[in-house]
Amino acid sequence: MNNKLYEGQKLNDFRELVNLYKTKYKDLIAFEYKETPESKEHIKITYEQFAKDIEALACKLMELNAKRIALISDNRYEWCVSYLAITTAGLVVVPLDKSLPDNELLDLLKRSEADGIIFSDKYVQALKDATCKLKICMDYDEDKDGILSYSSLLSEGYTLDKSNYNDLKIDNKAMSIILFTSGTTSIAKAVMLSQYAICMDLYALSQMIDIKTTDKFLSFLPLHHTFESTTTFLFGTSCGITIAICDGLRYIQNNLVEYHVTGFVCVPLMLEIMYKKILKEIESQHKTTLVKIMRVLFRHANIETKRKIFKSIIDGLGGKLRTIIAGGAPMDKETIKGYNDFGFDVHQGYGLTETAPVLAGENGFNKKTGSVGFPLPTIELKVDKPDENGIGEIIAKTPAIMLGYYKNEEATNEVLKDGWFYTGDLGYIDEDGFVFITGRKKDMIVLKNGKKIFPEEIEILINKLPYVTESMVFASLDDSKQDRNTDNVICAEIIYNEDELKKAYPNIKESEYCDTIWNDIKTKVNKQMPAYKYIRRILISTEPIIKTTTQKIKRSEELKKIQKKNK
């Protein structure tokens, strides 16, 4: 496949990124947000102001002599200023998960050896026992109880001589960011990234996706996660877009409309939930058959024609939404087709925290439904030890690679071998160079006969049932037999929406819920798969599955919860 690419924009470090703000984009709006979800006023920050705030805070942080500064809050303007102020001051930033329990937050602060932390006021109580010498609250108007005021420091920074800041040379290949992978503190690994690695990923992304200064992206995935921080924040601002900061997950629909959003970065789960709502709205208007016909008729039309045909759907999501970048988990093919049919430009991508993060993606020139695209420029991907179906572990060679896991040489050596990074993801690469991810190596279920089952592919089928909000497929040893033929059986935990279940089955009684869902699994899910993949047991619940802040299922923790319930 001859991959057509855009020209791209190369940066060496974050200083060069901030310089773009001061020169190329200075009069454009960098951020738009509200003080509260109920506020009518939209606060708008220009790129010139953004750059000035970064430099002022950086100058003050250099004076305070911290070396490694953690960062924790909801998505907000001050988070973005702090991130770039820390890193352009030659210090190390440690973005932390905003949903961490207090004990885990303190543990990760110790593990990262952060000597400072910038935070929002909701963490004041949690951080009272933190040993960091420097504590800065984004919401304090003045210093209090040993905690410094962010706004005061920023103001002081504006008065300082900038000579030391301007003279500082950034070592773009030194550790600049420490990011913790998803998981409990005992297993979360501290990934060390350089500015060079992230800038190489930004360069590759700029060759893949045509983002314009007129674009406005909604930021709602947590900024501590490298997918959001690299793709929306750093890549977006390197292109001069406006970032509209979401008021919270339950306000996404409203924010799409009021900010006139043209794009966003998300995980597949959110897209699938939105797609179900679109289909339900079409059904409520008795237009399901008509829309199906129109989708087939205009499937190969250009995107502008599709957007006119399905204008009512586009308008329901704000009227301007066009570009959707999805990654982090496998996505249902029918959902992708649906969005593309309606006139949205959906780009699937794939990457990991350790690779800064994007390794593969689709662009406007080359797409294949079901794949995560093709390797980004400068990145080489191959399949290690493929089986008879060509499936094996995806390994990557890229300049956008981590320096290693902080103080964990053993774990580093397990994944970095001879210049290749072993992702732990299984998949294959087709004859056209498109990458397909089938599941995580550690989650794969292997039967005694050698057959392999990937939970994600079965979960996608289960989640299509109209009343299912999410599901988790896992293996359980069938110990009911007393001979040697005991083997793993496939089980599914199914989280259902009671109102939707009653809509699907109006006369259903609560005592019939499990039998009804089990019947749908047998007739509507199992029949789409070979017999060895059949679901043999189900558990039903309305309690959400334990997930990370980017909505990835924490399988081991959810299994512990299931086992505890069924003791």
Side-chain angles (χ1 to χ4, degrees):
M1 178 178 68
N2 184 19
N3 297 333
K4 190 174 179 182
L5 301 169
Y6 297 102
E7 184 178 346
Q9 176 174 248
K10 197 165 189 177
L11 299 167
N12 290 303
D13 57 45
F14 294 164
R15 284 287 186 97
E16 292 187 7
L17 180 62
V18 175
N19 196 50
L20 278 181
Y21 304 161
K22 293 160 61 176
T23 55
K24 189 174 181 180
Y25 305 133
K26 69 186 181 90
D27 297 324
L28 300 176
I29 301 299
F31 291 88
E32 185 174 347
Y33 59 93
K34 298 183 297 179
E35 287 288 355
T36 68
E38 295 74 30
S39 300
K40 299 297 181 187
E41 181 191 0
H42 285 208
I43 297 166
K44 297 181 180 181
I45 308 287
T46 65
Y47 272 97
E48 184 174 34
Q49 184 63 53
F50 183 35
K52 285 180 178 178
D53 285 350
I54 291 165
E55 292 182 345
L57 185 60
C59 288
K60 187 61 185 177
L61 292 176
M62 289 174 72
E63 188 181 80
L64 293 172
N65 291 321
K67 301 297 181 188
R68 198 170 293 177
I69 302 177
L71 184 55
I72 186 166
S73 75
D74 291 328
N75 288 13
R76 55 190 288 178
Y77 173 65
E78 293 84 356
W79 193 102
C80 298
V81 172
S82 300
Y83 181 98
L84 285 174
I86 295 165
T87 49
T88 58
L91 312 176
V92 174
V93 67
V94 187
L96 294 174
D97 188 339
K98 62 176 184 164
S99 66
L100 287 172
D102 294 358
N103 64 318
E104 292 197 17
L105 170 57
L106 294 174
D107 190 29
L108 293 189
L109 281 172
K110 286 179 184 175
R111 285 185 56 196
S112 64
E113 299 178 356
D115 52 0
I117 182 165
I118 301 175
F119 55 95
S120 60
D121 57 3
K122 68 189 279 187
Y123 299 98
V124 170
Q125 188 62 27
L127 291 169
K128 70 181 191 310
D129 296 325
T131 55
C132 304
K133 67 177 182 182
L134 180 65
K135 296 179 183 177
I136 303 168
C137 182
M138 297 175 182
D139 301 295
Y140 279 9
D141 293 325
E142 56 185 30
D143 300 349
K144 185 167 57 176
D145 300 327
I147 297 173
L148 303 180
S149 158
Y150 172 95
S151 57
S152 297
L153 293 179
L154 185 62
S155 297
E156 291 169 26
Y158 270 96
T159 67
L160 296 175
D161 176 60
K162 292 185 171 56
S163 299
N164 288 341
Y165 177 81
N166 292 333
D167 292 342
L168 180 69
K169 300 298 181 188
I170 298 293
D171 181 353
N172 69 349
K173 292 191 178 180
M175 178 179 70
S176 186
I177 304 103
I178 293 178
L179 285 163
F180 285 94
T181 59
S182 300
T184 59
T185 53
S186 60
I187 60 170
K189 294 186 280 288
V191 176
M192 300 184 290
L193 290 174
S194 66
Q195 292 186 32
Y196 173 77
I198 291 179
C199 285
M200 285 303 292
D201 213 52
L202 298 181
Y203 177 47
L205 284 169
S206 70
Q207 295 175 80
M208 293 288 289
I209 304 175
D210 185 23
I211 302 294
K212 297 178 170 59
T213 56
T214 51
D215 277 309
K216 185 183 289 185
F217 273 45
L218 186 67
S219 175
F220 54 83
L221 287 182
L223 274 166
H224 79 272
H225 195 277
T226 185
F227 186 37
E228 180 71 4
S229 63
T230 298
T231 312
T232 299
F233 168 37
L234 297 173
F235 174 57
T237 58
S238 77
C239 299
I241 70 166
T242 298
I243 295 177
I245 299 176
C246 186
D247 292 322
L249 290 179
R250 62 194 177 104
Y251 297 102
I252 288 175
Q253 183 82 25
N254 292 340
N255 288 167
L256 288 173
V257 175
E258 65 184 326
Y259 287 117
H260 306 295
V261 169
T262 66
F264 57 71
V265 174
C266 68
V267 291
L269 177 64
M270 185 205 157
L271 279 189
E272 287 161 8
I273 290 169
M274 284 173 56
Y275 188 62
K276 280 186 176 181
K277 287 181 179 177
I278 292 170
L279 296 184
K280 282 173 189 170
E281 181 61 26
I282 292 168
E283 186 181 0
S284 71
Q285 297 175 20
H286 308 290
K287 292 181 179 178
T288 302
T289 302
L290 174 62
V291 168
K292 281 182 180 177
I293 293 168
M294 298 298 279
R295 282 178 59 181
V296 173
L297 287 175
F298 290 93
R299 180 155 289 159
H300 301 293
N302 63 48
I303 192 169
E304 298 306 332
T305 300
K306 291 177 182 179
R307 290 176 72 81
K308 288 175 184 175
I309 296 296
F310 298 106
K311 185 176 183 299
S312 62
I313 292 172
I314 303 287
D315 287 347
L317 294 171
K320 299 286 186 181
L321 182 62
R322 182 188 186 97
T323 305
I324 300 171
I325 301 170
M331 189 165 160
D332 175 32
K333 289 183 182 180
E334 291 306 312
T335 302
I336 302 168
K337 284 179 182 175
Y339 278 105
N340 286 326
D341 286 349
F342 293 143
F344 298 101
D345 190 15
V346 179
H347 300 266
Q348 281 223 92
Y350 164 69
L352 301 95
T353 303
E354 291 90 339
T355 57
V358 189
L359 287 171
E362 298 177 310
N363 66 11
F365 306 114
N366 294 294
K367 291 185 178 182
K368 186 173 284 191
T369 303
S371 82
V372 293
F374 52 89
L376 268 58
T378 75
I379 293 171
E380 185 181 352
L381 297 181
K382 69 179 184 180
V383 178
D384 184 54
K385 299 175 183 175
D387 63 14
E388 66 277 8
N389 299 310
I391 295 173
E393 184 173 3
I394 303 291
I395 62 175
K397 185 173 282 188
T398 168
I401 193 69
M402 69 171 180
L403 300 168
Y405 296 119
Y406 185 61
K407 291 194 171 180
N408 195 340
E409 188 177 352
E410 183 181 352
T412 301
N413 292 337
E414 284 177 9
V415 296
L416 287 176
K417 303 171 187 175
D418 300 321
W420 290 89
F421 174 70
Y422 285 69
T423 66
D425 288 312
L426 296 170
Y428 62 94
I429 301 173
D430 73 7
E431 65 279 1
D432 294 320
F434 284 94
V435 182
F436 292 78
I437 304 299
T438 53
R440 289 291 290 169
K441 189 176 179 181
K442 65 181 181 181
D443 298 330
M444 181 176 66
I445 300 165
V446 182
L447 303 179
K448 279 190 173 179
N449 61 8
K451 296 284 187 183
K452 296 170 184 173
I453 300 165
F454 301 102
E456 294 93 341
E457 63 179 351
I458 303 176
E459 289 160 3
I460 284 172
L461 295 176
I462 298 170
N463 294 347
K464 287 183 181 180
L465 295 173
Y467 50 80
V468 173
T469 56
E470 57 184 337
S471 61
M472 187 182 84
V473 169
F474 59 98
S476 179
L477 192 66
D478 183 0
D479 54 8
S480 60
K481 299 175 184 178
Q482 299 301 314
D483 55 28
R484 297 181 186 177
N485 295 320
T486 55
D487 201 352
N488 280 324
V489 295
I490 308 305
C491 308
E493 181 185 29
I494 297 167
I495 312 304
Y496 67 93
N497 180 299
E498 189 171 20
D499 292 337
E500 294 299 327
L501 184 61
K502 287 179 177 177
K503 278 184 191 176
Y505 298 98
N507 300 316
I508 194 171
K509 297 173 185 174
E510 189 172 351
S511 59
E512 298 169 337
Y513 287 1
C514 193
D515 286 342
T516 301
I517 294 172
W518 175 229
N519 189 61
D520 275 353
I521 292 295
K522 288 189 292 184
T523 59
K524 297 176 182 177
V525 176
N526 282 355
K527 294 305 179 187
Q528 297 185 60
M529 304 183 295
Y532 72 88
K533 293 183 181 179
Y534 278 9
I535 298 164
R536 305 292 181 180
R537 298 174 187 165
I538 66 167
L539 306 167
I540 67 168
S541 175
T542 56
E543 185 181 332
I545 291 171
I546 299 170
K547 294 183 289 295
T548 67
T549 47
T550 51
Q551 302 304 298
K552 288 181 181 177
I553 295 173
K554 289 189 173 183
R555 293 181 186 272
S556 59
E557 290 189 36
E558 186 65 20
L559 272 173
K560 287 176 188 173
K561 185 176 85 175
I562 290 170
Q563 289 162 358
K564 192 174 179 181
K565 274 186 181 179
N566 290 278
K567 271 186 177 179

